[in-house]
Amino acid sequence: MNYLSTRGAGAGERHTFSEILLGGLAKDGGLYLPADYPRVTADELTRWRTLPYADLAFEILSKFCDDIPADDLRALTRKTYTAATYCNVRDDESAAQITPLKTLGVEDGAPLSLLELSNGPTLAFKDMAMQLIGNLFEYALAKHGESLNILGATSGDTGSAAEYAMRGKNGIRVFMLSPHKKMSAFQTAQMYSLQDPNIFNLAVQGVFDDAQDIVKAVSNDHAFKAKYKIGTVNSINWARVVAQVVYYFKGYFAATKSNAERVSFTVPSGNFGNVCAGHIARMMGLPIEKLVVATNENDVLDEFFRTGIYRVRKAAETYHTSSPSMDISKASNFERFVYDLLGRDPARVLQLFRDVEEKGGFDLAASGDFARVREFGFVSGSSSHDTRVDTIRDVFQRYDTMIDTHTADGVKVAREHLQPGIPMIVLETAQPIKFGETIREALLREPERPAAFSGLESLPQRFEVVPADAQRVKDFIVANTGE
Ligand SMILES: *Cc1c(COP(=O)(O)O)cnc(C)c1O
């Protein structure tokens, strides 16, 4: 399996899975994709239907990765997808499923269900991929006797998922910047209560953008970056995307009895990583009818799928919403889909994303390519704070099920795209406890808290307060890498 860049690196620029595992963007600024999507046969689908999650993950990853020995890869997926890791759920049987499917009911003739992706250590779907990345990185670094210092900025979900994936891993340190006193008590405690010596929480005296700017400044110091082996784990990482393909298959098998059936998925979306994995599952031959992109008030993706216009937002046009993990101004994985939409024409992708940088977007409305969006199964919708709160209340009253704000955006938009007889699976991307304020507003009660999280906020915290100054962050890294 060879990987190429969406912006057209030539045949000589092709890479293996392991070569792109620790990297981010391709040299030409594009994103990596497989040269061809592997197809699943009818026999494979039948055989995979009954596999435990870890073995299904092995089968799917094997199709994308041919330079890790099979026994090693299988050991890595089995180490990652255990009931003990995905245990923040109702009962042991659900934990064994890793991503259990919860049926809500039948609406407009369509069975409606939630695919639970947030039973892992940080209660958000990012654990699904990040836990695997932690094990893959540790494996790859050990093989080459190397080490890696991961530097990131977070306003919540991504940073904690990365820390819980990397804690205790050999050869890896995490330096995670977060805005001092700007996260919820729960999110702060989740990150800062980690006592692992390879995890460093830096509370930056500023806002999230200050933290982000420091990461950019440090990464742009190429000498420093090389000397201190600085890396990242952002959402464009290919291995993260491919790890997410697995649960589309798992959800399909849970919602159907035979491979003749089709299902639709609704995906609460921000950077387009999650739904990009759904697109890849469909390209592999999984019988997916529709992929429904759900956005919040930051509707750059909904606008594209409705009109063909991709218009990135300025900072002042980006709203802080009650589903904050979807507050994006542009969608960093979107280029992967555009590449396929344009029939894999790298020169046109390069031109369009140059237009994004220079003119703030592009317009495919008049081109024949936009019509193909529906051939790829894509539709979309958006939500607001009011519809979010209404949906949380409605699902609680009707189905006795508490959902978080992002999942509520998914349910709201899913309901606009139901088709009789076709199961609609909404991806549940976080647990309600992470967004307690909106739960209290909607339900006038406290969010449910998994047992392992009782008393989280009163655990001792370990973090360093730093000024919003890249040099001070560099000094901290130098002092704590012993190199
Ligand atoms: C990251 C995140 C999303 C958005 O996922 P993308 O892959 O960026 O589209 C949605 N919901 C939650 C809770 C998240 O943490």
Side-chain angles (χ1 to χ4, degrees):
M1 172 63 62
N2 278 313
Y3 289 86
L4 39 72
S5 162
T6 51
R7 296 194 188 175
E13 288 288 312
R14 294 189 173 199
H15 297 283
T16 67
F17 182 87
S18 296
E19 283 166 0
I20 63 170
L21 175 63
L22 297 167
L25 291 175
K27 271 208 200 82
D28 58 13
L31 304 186
Y32 287 115
L33 271 179
D36 304 288
Y37 290 119
R39 298 281 304 178
V40 280
T41 64
D43 283 352
E44 279 172 324
L45 264 193
T46 303
R47 193 163 55 78
W48 290 1
R49 185 168 272 280
T50 50
L51 289 181
Y53 194 97
D55 292 344
L56 178 63
F58 166 74
E59 296 288 344
I60 293 171
L61 281 159
S62 302
K63 287 192 172 280
F64 290 95
C65 159
D66 52 16
D67 61 347
I68 295 179
D71 287 348
D72 291 359
L73 189 60
R74 191 187 291 277
L76 288 167
T77 63
R78 287 193 175 163
K79 181 177 169 189
T80 303
Y81 298 111
T82 68
T85 303
Y86 295 90
C87 61
N88 297 303
V89 67
R90 304 175 291 285
D91 51 52
D92 292 350
E93 199 189 316
S94 304
Q97 297 284 320
I98 309 296
T99 59
L101 188 76
K102 183 164 212 277
T103 305
L104 294 180
V106 176
E107 295 188 16
D108 297 344
L112 179 66
S113 56
L114 302 175
L115 186 64
E116 296 180 30
L117 305 179
S118 57
N119 299 327
T122 73
L123 308 180
F125 92 97
K126 291 192 173 67
D127 289 331
M128 293 305 304
M130 207 74 93
Q131 288 285 319
L132 180 71
I133 296 290
N135 287 323
L136 277 171
F137 277 22
E138 183 181 48
Y139 171 86
L141 291 166
K143 214 169 181 175
H144 301 106
E146 289 170 6
S147 65
L148 180 68
N149 293 308
I150 293 172
L151 175 66
T154 189
S155 52
D157 281 351
T158 311
S160 58
E163 290 186 353
Y164 281 77
M166 305 298 168
R167 63 188 297 200
K169 293 278 184 280
N170 292 317
I172 304 177
R173 293 187 195 87
V174 177
F175 296 90
M176 190 58 67
L177 277 51
S178 50
H180 188 38
K181 297 188 174 165
K182 298 281 190 316
M183 296 185 295
S184 72
F186 185 87
Q187 280 186 318
T188 306
Q190 248 188 329
M191 290 178 49
Y192 294 2
S193 65
L194 286 179
Q195 302 294 333
D196 306 75
N198 71 326
I199 304 294
F200 299 93
N201 280 301
L202 297 173
V204 175
Q205 291 171 316
V207 294
F208 171 69
D209 290 331
D210 298 318
Q212 181 95 302
D213 288 344
I214 294 174
V215 170
K216 281 187 197 145
V218 175
S219 302
N220 284 334
D221 181 343
H222 299 290
F224 185 88
K225 192 177 173 196
K227 179 164 184 205
Y228 291 96
K229 303 182 178 69
I230 303 292
T232 53
V233 273
N234 48 27
S235 75
I236 57 157
N237 179 287
W238 167 252
R240 267 182 77 177
V241 175
V242 78
Q244 294 172 167
V245 171
V246 179
Y247 50 71
Y248 285 88
F249 282 84
K250 188 75 182 162
Y252 172 76
F253 294 137
T256 59
K257 292 204 171 59
S258 92
N259 300 337
E261 294 172 60
R262 300 179 76 75
V263 306
S264 293
F265 287 93
T266 300
V267 187
S269 293
N271 275 316
F272 206 78
N274 201 352
V275 73
C276 185
H279 165 66
I280 291 164
R282 194 171 179 280
M283 298 301 277
M284 292 173 72
L286 188 68
I288 295 176
E289 180 70 23
K290 281 186 188 166
L291 285 165
V292 185
V293 177
T295 74
N296 62 18
E297 293 89 328
N298 297 292
D299 59 354
V300 45
L301 287 169
D302 178 41
E303 181 174 72
F304 175 78
F305 285 105
R306 279 186 298 103
T307 67
I309 297 169
Y310 184 63
R311 182 176 63 84
V312 304
R313 309 299 199 245
K314 300 190 178 67
E317 298 174 298
T318 307
Y319 306 104
H320 291 284
T321 74
S322 44
S323 46
S325 301
M326 291 155 61
D327 293 350
I328 51 113
S329 56
K330 58 174 187 249
S332 55
N333 274 289
F334 185 53
E335 184 170 331
R336 289 193 160 109
F337 173 69
V338 171
Y339 182 70
D340 286 342
L341 183 67
L342 300 182
R344 302 201 135 209
D345 179 343
R348 283 189 68 205
V349 172
L350 176 65
Q351 184 55 51
L352 290 185
F353 283 87
R354 229 175 238 162
D355 289 349
V356 170
E357 274 157 40
E358 288 162 15
K359 303 178 202 156
F362 54 75
D363 182 354
L364 293 181
S367 85
D369 303 301
F370 183 63
R372 297 186 62 216
V373 158
R374 304 291 175 249
E375 283 170 39
F376 282 100
F378 275 87
V379 291
S380 69
S382 67
S383 63
S384 65
H385 182 74
D386 288 347
T387 58
R388 187 171 304 133
V389 167
D390 285 348
T391 305
I392 291 171
R393 199 178 292 134
D394 175 81
V395 169
F396 191 70
Q397 286 168 355
R398 231 196 275 198
Y399 302 119
D400 196 23
T401 298
M402 201 184 276
I403 56 174
D404 97 291
T405 51
H406 307 76
T407 309
D409 292 340
V411 172
K412 186 265 178 188
V413 175
R415 283 174 161 161
E416 296 161 1
H417 295 283
L418 298 172
Q419 292 166 284
I422 299 190
M424 173 62 84
I425 302 171
V426 178
L427 302 192
E428 181 230 50
T429 56
Q431 292 208 18
I433 180 76
K434 298 197 84 170
F435 306 96
E437 198 181 317
T438 309
I439 298 297
R440 283 186 285 274
E441 179 186 342
L443 304 178
L444 304 173
R445 60 194 286 162
E446 288 298 311
E448 291 154 0
R449 178 182 285 249
F453 291 77
S454 76
L456 176 74
E457 292 89 334
S458 48
L459 293 175
Q461 300 190 352
R462 176 173 166 268
F463 61 99
E464 188 87 16
V465 180
V466 292
D469 175 353
Q471 188 55 47
R472 297 287 287 271
V473 171
K474 284 187 198 170
D475 293 346
F476 185 89
I477 293 172
V478 172
N480 287 282
T481 48
E483 277 158 35

